[in-house]
Amino acid sequence: MKRFVFFLFISVIPTVLISQTKKTFNDSNFSKGDIVRVPNLEVELLNREKDVTNDSLELLVAFLQKHSNIKFELACYTDSRGNLAGNLQASQYRAQGIRDYLIKHKNINPDILTAKGYGETKLIISDQTISNAKTKEEKEKLHLINRRIELIVLEVN
């Protein structure tokens, strides 16, 4: 029993020490651990060379340029369809592709942006909730909430 309690205590420490406040591009004050949802950025599922430009990418570029004193992790997530390993690989591929594009084509400083794919490891909407949705369209909208891109504040200078 003590081992289990000790393990649980260790696994909780990082989330207690780092705040995880949800922020938007409209916010101006950020702290380590804050999460900024990137709105409406869609990328091809398997091809990171595809053109990912759209309005939200320009918003992302402007946001990163405005906050060049902050180091961010570009975090990509998938829904729970597919297998865990494939989803982790696809999300890392997307995160890296977006980071590479921002650096190469939008002159974002590579020192302020890392890329990390989380796959389906941090779902917002559970599979149970999705399975309880009444229509295929409702289920797809719920899956879309899980397929997201976020900026996680790593360091504020």
Side-chain angles (χ1 to χ4, degrees):
M1 185 72 164
K2 288 182 181 180
R3 288 183 187 171
F4 177 74
V5 172
F6 179 73
F7 174 75
L8 182 61
F9 178 73
I10 293 297
S11 67
V12 171
I13 289 174
T15 57
V16 171
L17 293 177
I18 299 173
S19 74
Q20 290 209 327
T21 305
K22 299 287 184 180
K23 300 280 187 152
T24 70
F25 282 179
N26 295 326
D27 289 306
S28 57
N29 294 320
F30 297 95
S31 300
K32 183 176 182 177
D34 286 348
I35 298 172
V36 183
R37 178 88 187 257
V38 178
N40 306 320
L41 182 58
E42 296 181 16
V43 294
E44 290 294 319
L45 292 178
L46 297 174
N47 187 351
R48 77 179 196 192
E49 298 303 320
K50 281 280 195 180
D51 184 7
V52 292
T53 59
N54 64 26
D55 290 343
S56 67
L57 184 58
E58 294 308 315
L59 291 173
L60 176 58
V61 170
F63 179 82
L64 292 171
Q65 289 171 338
K66 180 179 179 182
H67 299 287
S68 61
N69 64 318
I70 300 175
K71 290 185 180 182
F72 292 101
E73 175 183 283
L74 180 72
C76 286
Y77 305 86
T78 65
D79 59 35
S80 60
R81 296 178 284 189
N83 66 56
L84 181 62
N87 284 339
L88 281 170
Q89 183 179 15
S91 61
Q92 181 62 41
Y93 193 67
R94 285 182 222 148
Q96 191 63 49
I98 294 167
R99 180 184 182 271
D100 292 347
Y101 181 88
L102 292 170
I103 292 166
K104 183 177 180 180
H105 298 287
K106 299 297 181 178
N107 299 317
I108 297 299
N109 180 353
D111 295 335
I112 70 161
L113 197 59
T114 62
K116 174 85 171 148
Y118 288 93
E120 62 186 86
T121 62
K122 296 182 179 186
L123 298 176
I124 294 173
I125 308 294
S126 71
D127 287 340
Q128 179 65 42
T129 300
I130 293 171
S131 68
N132 290 336
K134 295 179 180 170
T135 67
K136 185 177 179 179
E137 292 79 19
E138 289 174 351
K139 289 179 183 185
E140 189 56 40
K141 285 180 183 178
L142 294 173
H143 278 298
L144 187 58
I145 292 170
N146 286 329
R147 288 191 313 267
R148 66 196 186 279
I149 299 171
E150 297 172 336
L151 293 172
I152 301 172
V153 177
L154 300 176
E155 184 180 320
V156 180
N157 294 322

